[in-house]
Amino acid sequence: MSARTSFANWPCSIARTLDVVGDAWTPLVLREAFYGSRRFDEFQGELRIARNTLTDRLRRLVEAGLLEKRLYETEPPRYEYLLTEQGRDLFPVLAAMAHWGDRWLAGPEGPPITLHHKACGHDGHAEVVCSACGEPMRADDTVARLGPGYPDRLKSRPDVLRRFAPE
């Protein structure tokens, strides 16, 4: 079995995020946590995931700080898994994935799940909007630029300059 590639030190927040949630089961475990699952058997029952795989994903999510493991029964010891602030901050990512899937993969009967926004009382979907002006951000009107955390040692490389040239 080959070692898992780590993206933890890449100068890219997408790669770093994938280092934490970038397998098929982890986003589904998080989805179930957003749906209200807290206990091992709830996750296992909803996902039909192998127990050893679920144990590994829960452990990794706790280590990464997305879930908190809390003892709820002492004899025998049993734990529940609660989303942390860091874990709850992934909700927009999962909502955006659901919206994409609803648009491109749902059948003619429509989306399998809808998101209900309790604040306004309507069903809705995720939108990525500019934090400065509130307008939607789309691929054709958004460019990536070097940020303050990009490693100095890489900034002068021709391939980096070409990819992130100011427009």
Side-chain angles (χ1 to χ4, degrees), residues 27-47:
L28 296 175
V29 170
L30 288 168
R31 179 199 69 190
E32 289 306 314
F34 284 113
Y35 287 174
S37 293
R38 298 171 88 157
R39 298 181 177 175
F40 187 93
D41 290 339
E42 292 171 340
F43 288 105
Q44 204 278 324
E46 293 299 329
L47 294 170

Side-chain angles (χ1 to χ4, degrees), residues 44-93:
Q44 204 278 324
E46 293 299 329
L47 294 170
R48 305 283 188 240
I49 182 176
R51 295 178 77 78
N52 63 323
T53 302
L54 178 58
T55 297
D56 178 66
R57 294 321 183 276
L58 290 170
R59 178 190 53 76
R60 286 180 27 209
L61 287 167
V62 168
E63 287 174 359
L66 279 70
L67 293 177
E68 173 191 345
K69 183 178 178 181
R70 185 182 298 163
L71 185 70
Y72 72 87
E73 189 174 297
T74 56
E75 291 297 327
R78 295 192 190 275
Y79 298 89
E80 60 184 2
Y81 297 87
L82 308 169
L83 287 161
T84 63
E85 180 182 2
Q86 187 177 347
R88 287 187 303 274
D89 268 358
L90 268 174
F91 175 77
V93 175

Side-chain angles (χ1 to χ4, degrees), residues 11 144-152 155 160 164:
R145 299 188 327 177
L146 291 180
Y150 202 87
D152 287 335
K155 286 180 180 177
V160 171
F164 301 111

Side-chain angles (χ1 to χ4, degrees), residues 137-147 162-167:
M137 293 181 74
R138 308 269 183 246
D140 58 355
D141 66 3
T142 305
V143 296
R145 299 188 327 177
L146 291 180
R162 192 171 40 256
R163 285 175 70 208
F164 301 111
E167 288 193 17

